[in-house]
Amino acid sequence: MSPYKDKARQTAAHEAIRWEMTARNQRVVAREATKRGDKCEDCGSLRDYRLIWHHVVPESKRQEIGRGIRNWSIEVLEDELAKCILICDSC
């Protein structure tokens, strides 16, 4: 049974939890980018606002990092980031 009898309160609580997860996962992604020097791993560019996570082996990915950031656990996110390189949009 739902902890809330009011469906609107339940939806609001669920959304609050999802936003907390998203913020937490964004911090994990930012920390990983910092570990990697906040630069393109291919050309060395420091244009951090244009850096993207690129799966080295596309067949091994669950989905794009940006899509999974909202609902993945930290363990799944870190595992997925390990499969990626950080590259600029020019590379």
Side-chain angles (χ1 to χ4, degrees):
M1 175 148 185
S2 169
Y4 298 104
K5 292 180 182 178
D6 180 8
K7 185 71 172 167
R9 278 185 63 200
Q10 180 182 3
T11 301
H14 181 71
E15 277 301 306
I17 290 168
R18 288 183 61 108
W19 280 111
E20 288 173 22
M21 286 177 62
T22 300
R24 177 201 67 197
N25 286 351
Q26 286 173 336
R27 288 189 300 271
V28 169
V29 170
R31 186 172 46 241
E32 183 63 28
T34 301
K35 280 185 200 174
R36 297 182 187 203
D38 283 325
K39 64 182 178 184
C40 177
E41 294 179 34
D42 192 31
C43 70
S45 173
L46 294 173
R47 297 180 301 170
D48 59 324
Y49 63 95
R50 292 190 171 180
L51 294 176
I52 57 172
W53 294 98
H54 175 70
H55 282 82
V56 178
V57 182
E59 297 80 29
S60 71
K61 73 178 179 181
R62 289 174 180 250
Q63 64 183 165
E64 296 165 0
I65 300 294
R67 291 187 179 271
I69 202 167
R70 187 162 170 154
N71 56 11
W72 283 343
S73 69
I74 291 176
E75 294 80 19
V76 170
L77 181 60
E78 288 175 341
D79 181 51
E80 206 63 26
L81 288 171
K83 300 176 192 176
C84 297
I85 60 172
L86 195 57
I87 61 172
C88 66
D89 60 354
S90 299
C91 292

